[in-house]
Amino acid sequence: QVQLVESGGGLVQPGGSLRLSCAASGSISNIYFMGWYRQAPGKQRESVARINSGGSTTYADSVKGRFTISRDNAKITVYLQMNSLKPEDTAVYYCRVEGGGYDYWGQGTQVTVSS
């Protein structure tokens, strides 16, 4: 049984930073993509950033230049460094791991950007 456990969310002032982590537990291999998604109240879930097995990354336009995704293959962990946070970044952030025949999601972690 694979579980994704997210951490690092919280309350931060505009302009501040947070680092999210998502660690996979259980047996998992042949990972294609690891990524972060977010869902704000009343809005659809959207992709924030993804990283493939080769380390190539993609970002939503709204976070380019502010967020950085990275992964530790040995620890099966994906990170999201979020800088220059804005109130519109407020959402529940979910990690996702996609691979050969599977698609796992974390439970979500709340990020609130407010003064």
Side-chain angles (χ1 to χ4, degrees):
Q1 184 76 8
V2 174
Q3 286 189 320
L4 303 182
V5 180
E6 297 130 336
S7 60
L11 173 64
V12 64
Q13 292 186 341
S17 298
L18 284 175
R19 189 191 193 212
L20 305 182
S21 299
C22 172
S25 64
S27 178
I28 188 169
S29 62
N30 199 24
I31 296 173
Y32 297 159
F33 293 98
M34 303 181 81
W36 289 95
Y37 294 71
R38 67 186 181 187
Q39 187 166 18
K43 294 187 177 181
Q44 289 189 328
R45 190 173 298 187
E46 62 176 354
S47 176
V48 175
R50 297 175 83 203
I51 184 167
N52 68 12
S53 58
S56 295
T57 58
T58 57
Y59 295 93
D61 288 343
S62 59
V63 307
K64 283 181 181 176
R66 301 187 297 122
F67 291 10
T68 303
I69 189 171
S70 60
R71 61 191 280 177
D72 184 330
N73 290 329
K75 296 181 179 179
I76 315 179
T77 300
V78 61
Y79 306 97
L80 186 67
Q81 178 66 43
M82 305 185 294
N83 299 328
S84 302
L85 282 160
K86 304 175 181 180
E88 51 263 44
D89 294 317
T90 295
V92 177
Y93 284 70
Y94 301 88
C95 69
R96 182 184 187 186
V97 176
E98 303 167 77
Y102 60 83
D103 185 358
Y104 299 122
W105 289 84
Q107 81 287 351
T109 185
Q110 177 70 45
V111 171
T112 303
V113 185
S114 175
S115 55

